[in-house]
Amino acid sequence: MPAEAKLEATGRTSPPLTERQEARRRRILHASAQLASRGGFDAVQMREVAESSQVALGTLYRYFPSKIHLLVATMQDQLEHMHGTLRKKPPQGDTAAERVAETLMRAFRALQREPHLADAMVRALTFADRSVSPEVDQVSRQTTLIILDAMGLADPTPEQLSAVRVIEHTWHSALITWLSGRASIAQVKIDIETVCRLIDLTDPEKKG
């Protein structure tokens, strides 16, 4: 089973949105990102998001029950846009580990250009409780697909998926330590390159 199908099989599905509902959802996510870009986590207030996206406050809450749900969904949306950009300009590198490291650093630098937005989304992920699990799962699946694309891997083994999860955790942790001023970009790069070596350790061909 292809990686994308495997990941979809593990996630919850909801009825597809109509064209009008999807357009409304996109306006909400755009408004959320714009407010976060200007003022960070505290600037994203549900009433202001509703006004900016031209939807009723009650409608906004039907789409996103809380600010945390909204900001985690915003992160998934941002990652989806990054994935599209990465597919248009695939990473360079002789090995899968090098390509994944380049991909994650490109994603990191994109977030670095919008530090307030990055901080708001990462804080929301950190604050998310069990009620936000579907949205958090979407972020994780999107990140996994970005990594598997960089690896050039359509049918990963369980061990390879485990390595991808460890890489995801490290990338997320690196974002937190950078945003809090406890790590430099240079240190983040070293950490990402180091953890990406797990890819070689889980490659069936290299192990054999």
Side-chain angles (χ1 to χ4, degrees), residues 24-98:
R24 186 180 296 135
R25 184 177 185 275
R26 296 224 60 78
R27 291 203 310 273
I28 292 169
L29 291 172
H30 178 73
S32 170
Q34 290 290 102
L35 287 167
S37 293
R38 290 198 292 267
F41 185 85
D42 293 335
V44 181
Q45 300 298 323
M46 296 298 269
R47 188 171 296 280
E48 287 190 38
V49 172
E51 290 174 0
S52 182
S53 57
Q54 298 180 317
V55 302
L57 186 59
T59 301
L60 172 58
Y61 277 109
R62 284 200 297 274
Y63 281 81
F64 303 102
S66 74
K67 170 175 166 173
I68 300 299
H69 288 80
L70 173 58
L71 280 169
V72 174
T74 301
M75 184 164 195
Q76 193 277 333
D77 188 58
Q78 294 292 313
L79 287 170
E80 195 173 312
H81 281 298
M82 284 182 202
H83 197 183
T85 301
L86 289 163
R87 278 177 163 164
K88 290 175 186 174
K89 189 179 178 183
Q92 303 298 308
D94 295 329
T95 67
E98 289 175 358

Side-chain angles (χ1 to χ4, degrees), residues 7-200:
L7 293 170
E8 287 300 324
T10 63
R12 299 182 205 176
T13 58
S14 55
L17 298 178
T18 65
E19 188 174 330
R20 186 176 178 182
Q21 288 171 326
E22 181 59 34
R24 186 180 296 135
R25 184 177 185 275
R26 296 224 60 78
R27 291 203 310 273
I28 292 169
L29 291 172
H30 178 73
S32 170
Q34 290 290 102
L35 287 167
S37 293
R38 290 198 292 267
F41 185 85
D42 293 335
V44 181
Q45 300 298 323
M46 296 298 269
R47 188 171 296 280
E48 287 190 38
V49 172
E51 290 174 0
S52 182
S53 57
Q54 298 180 317
V55 302
L57 186 59
T59 301
L60 172 58
Y61 277 109
R62 284 200 297 274
Y63 281 81
F64 303 102
S66 74
K67 170 175 166 173
I68 300 299
H69 288 80
L70 173 58
L71 280 169
V72 174
T74 301
M75 184 164 195
Q76 193 277 333
D77 188 58
Q78 294 292 313
L79 287 170
E80 195 173 312
H81 281 298
M82 284 182 202
H83 197 183
T85 301
L86 289 163
R87 278 177 163 164
K88 290 175 186 174
K89 189 179 178 183
Q92 303 298 308
D94 295 329
T95 67
E98 289 175 358
R99 293 192 298 275
V100 171
E102 184 193 328
T103 292
L104 292 178
M105 286 308 299
R106 280 169 63 182
F108 187 89
R109 290 189 183 101
L111 292 171
Q112 186 188 3
R113 289 192 287 273
E114 295 280 2
H116 292 307
L117 174 59
D119 182 64
M121 295 187 301
V122 170
R123 282 176 68 182
L125 267 183
T126 304
F127 295 153
D129 60 21
R130 193 170 296 178
S131 72
V132 198
S133 290
E135 288 80 6
V136 173
D137 288 345
Q138 286 284 354
V139 168
S140 180
R141 280 196 292 276
Q142 190 65 56
T143 309
T144 296
L145 288 172
I146 288 171
I147 294 172
L148 292 175
D149 260 13
M151 291 170 69
L153 200 57
D155 194 17
T157 66
E159 192 175 14
Q160 286 173 320
L161 280 175
S162 181
V164 169
R165 283 193 295 273
V166 175
I167 292 168
E168 284 181 46
H169 295 326
T170 302
W171 185 68
H172 181 227
S173 177
L175 272 176
I176 292 172
T177 54
W178 172 73
L179 286 165
S180 64
R182 292 182 287 121
S184 64
I185 300 298
Q187 186 59 57
V188 167
K189 187 171 186 293
I190 291 169
D191 290 350
I192 294 298
E193 289 174 347
T194 300
V195 75
C196 284
R197 291 177 195 151
L198 282 175
I199 293 169
D200 293 335

